[in-house]
Amino acid sequence: LTYNMPSLIQNGVLLNLLDVQYLDFGKPWWAQGLIEYGTLGGKLFFASGDISLSLLKKTFCLYFNIDLLNDYGLESPYEKVHAGTWTKEVLSKMAVSAYKDLNGSSTADLDDQYGFALYDRNHCNIFIGGFDLQVTEKDENGYPAVVFGSEKVADAVTWLCALFHNNNGIYYNKNSDAGTDLSVHESLRKMFNEGRLLFISAEFSNAVFFRDMKYEFGVLPPPKWDESQKGYYTLARNIYSSFGIPVTVQNTDPVGAVMEAIASENHRTLSPVYFETALKVKYSRDAESAQMFDIIKGGVKFNFGYTYHLIVGLTDHFVGSVRDNKPNWVSTYASIEPAAVSSIGKFIESIENA
């Protein structure tokens, strides 16, 4: 899995792929953003793209209930997306308006109707992508330097804490689907399938859960930070597969040839079948969804601080701050930045010595 690859690099397990015959990372079947961020000191140790269908399947998005939206007389998010006005405030306003205490308990619980649910705690990273938050930027030497203490990130944490903790209509699942307790995940899928949830955070692959849903549903990119943001952006959850070559491999030529051949063939066959047929036809209910899938896929960004989160560590604190309703990001960041800087420094040293 991608999030484990940086540890393998640091431990000297992987070869420099730029030295491997037959691999051509300028081709469209390789994820160019990942190649750019992953090339450090003239070395690249892992790559992904069409060679891994999971990169596409793990792309963050939102699904929404079209029928419920129409019941409330809300404006089409599709129109908002095309107009460039699908922002965080629009999502919040629509979501809050859809809450109903269905069981009369006077307490928000999983038997009620919600406006928005974060399906998994890891999905909080959808906002790092959607809001175009920068965790690191390359310095003058081409190495990553942390910039996650910006005013925009602080404002984002404050806003997200208020969204998830000050509204009955918003549900934050504090569990991970990598754990053993999936009861809340199951409840949220049931809620969406039963028409009791307006928006749900998701990955492309989650569409399979709603294939037999009797209500009409659509797909959306994460909302913009504000209307001045140039485009709609997202991330691929960093549990997709990436590929590297162990240093123990003595003859890398056939390995490079096979990797390139698989990536090239998948680009022409497997990826289009999944994206054009499965997602845009089999799992889509309307023509607009097909357009949205194109917009979302076109807005995928690769963020060093997220992809290399086991080295940098900052995005986990971002998620934790929102989960635990700790809106003072300035204070939190001041306490964690030194460790991040030190960890990145050691990582760079390991690359230079590789």
Side-chain angles (χ1 to χ4, degrees):
L1 301 180
T2 297
Y3 72 88
N4 284 323
M5 299 299 274
S7 296
L8 298 180
I9 296 172
Q10 197 162 32
N11 290 325
V13 174
L14 301 176
L15 290 169
N16 179 11
L17 295 180
L18 299 182
D19 293 334
V20 177
Q21 186 78 357
Y22 304 117
L23 290 174
D24 186 351
F25 293 113
K27 296 296 186 181
W29 41 84
W30 297 107
Q32 297 304 312
L34 184 63
I35 303 300
E36 178 186 351
Y37 272 102
T39 302
L40 301 170
K43 301 172 184 178
L44 176 68
F45 296 94
F46 70 91
S48 192
D50 289 298
I51 194 171
S52 169
L53 187 62
S54 60
L55 173 59
L56 185 56
K57 297 175 77 171
K58 292 301 175 183
T59 300
F60 285 131
C61 64
L62 299 178
Y63 290 120
F64 75 104
N65 185 318
I66 296 173
D67 292 333
L68 191 58
L69 184 98
N70 291 335
D71 288 344
Y72 278 85
L74 299 173
E75 185 176 351
S76 169
Y78 293 144
E79 296 178 5
K80 291 283 189 181
V81 170
H82 290 304
T85 57
W86 172 238
T87 64
K88 66 184 188 299
E89 283 80 13
V90 175
L91 170 65
S92 175
K93 185 177 180 179
M94 288 184 175
V96 170
S97 71
Y99 175 74
K100 276 188 178 180
D101 181 11
L102 295 180
N103 60 6
S105 66
S106 299
T107 302
D109 55 46
L110 289 171
D111 291 322
D112 291 339
Q113 175 177 291
Y114 283 82
F116 174 52
L118 196 76
Y119 177 66
D120 185 277
R121 76 180 183 203
N122 296 292
H123 285 192
C124 192
N125 291 295
I126 194 174
F127 298 106
I128 294 177
F131 295 166
D132 199 23
L133 303 179
Q134 303 304 308
V135 184
T136 62
E137 291 180 352
K138 285 191 174 183
D139 63 17
E140 64 275 8
N141 298 313
Y143 287 121
V146 294
V147 294
F148 211 39
S150 68
E151 182 179 354
K152 183 178 180 181
V153 176
D155 289 344
V157 171
T158 299
W159 187 86
L160 288 168
C161 284
L163 175 72
F164 286 110
H165 298 283
N166 296 347
N167 297 291
N168 282 338
I170 316 294
Y171 192 91
Y172 190 115
N173 183 3
K174 296 184 178 181
N175 298 327
S176 168
D177 57 10
T180 57
D181 183 4
L182 302 180
S183 58
V184 176
H185 293 82
E186 293 167 357
S187 294
L188 293 176
R189 292 200 302 269
K190 179 182 178 184
M191 187 186 298
F192 192 71
N193 274 302
E194 291 180 349
R196 294 186 290 113
L197 178 57
L198 183 54
F199 297 100
I200 186 170
S201 69
E203 301 153 26
F204 278 175
S205 60
N206 295 148
V208 68
F209 295 136
F210 313 125
R211 185 182 178 187
D212 297 324
M213 180 174 166
K214 69 177 182 178
Y215 300 97
E216 295 299 310
F217 74 94
V219 63
L220 295 164
K224 293 180 177 183
W225 173 252
D226 57 31
E227 292 184 15
S228 67
Q229 185 173 304
K230 290 184 178 180
Y232 296 99
Y233 307 122
T234 191
L235 302 173
R237 186 175 173 185
N238 60 6
I239 57 173
Y240 57 86
S241 297
S242 286
F243 292 79
I245 301 177
V247 295
T248 53
V249 176
Q250 296 181 355
N251 184 4
T252 61
D253 286 0
V255 180
V258 170
M259 285 177 61
E260 186 73 11
I262 293 173
S264 173
E265 182 64 17
N266 284 0
H267 178 73
R268 297 179 174 90
T269 56
L270 184 61
S271 294
V273 168
Y274 178 72
F275 188 70
E276 299 293 339
T277 304
L279 287 179
K280 295 170 71 173
V281 178
K282 189 176 181 180
Y283 298 130
S284 293
R285 302 292 182 90
D286 52 27
E288 288 88 349
S289 285
Q291 296 174 11
M292 293 299 115
F293 277 121
D294 285 331
I295 291 172
I296 299 165
K297 182 172 181 267
V300 172
K301 284 194 170 186
F302 293 90
N303 190 310
F304 181 91
Y306 177 58
T307 304
Y308 290 68
H309 83 104
L310 289 182
I311 300 297
V312 183
L314 298 176
T315 56
D316 289 341
H317 289 280
F318 176 91
V319 172
S321 292
V322 177
R323 179 195 63 217
D324 299 333
N325 195 18
K326 296 179 178 179
N328 189 348
W329 179 249
V330 173
S331 175
T332 298
Y333 186 78
S335 68
I336 60 178
E337 183 188 37
V341 171
S342 175
S343 183
I344 291 176
K346 292 177 181 177
F347 182 69
I348 292 172
E349 183 179 352
S350 69
I351 288 176
E352 292 176 337
N353 294 333

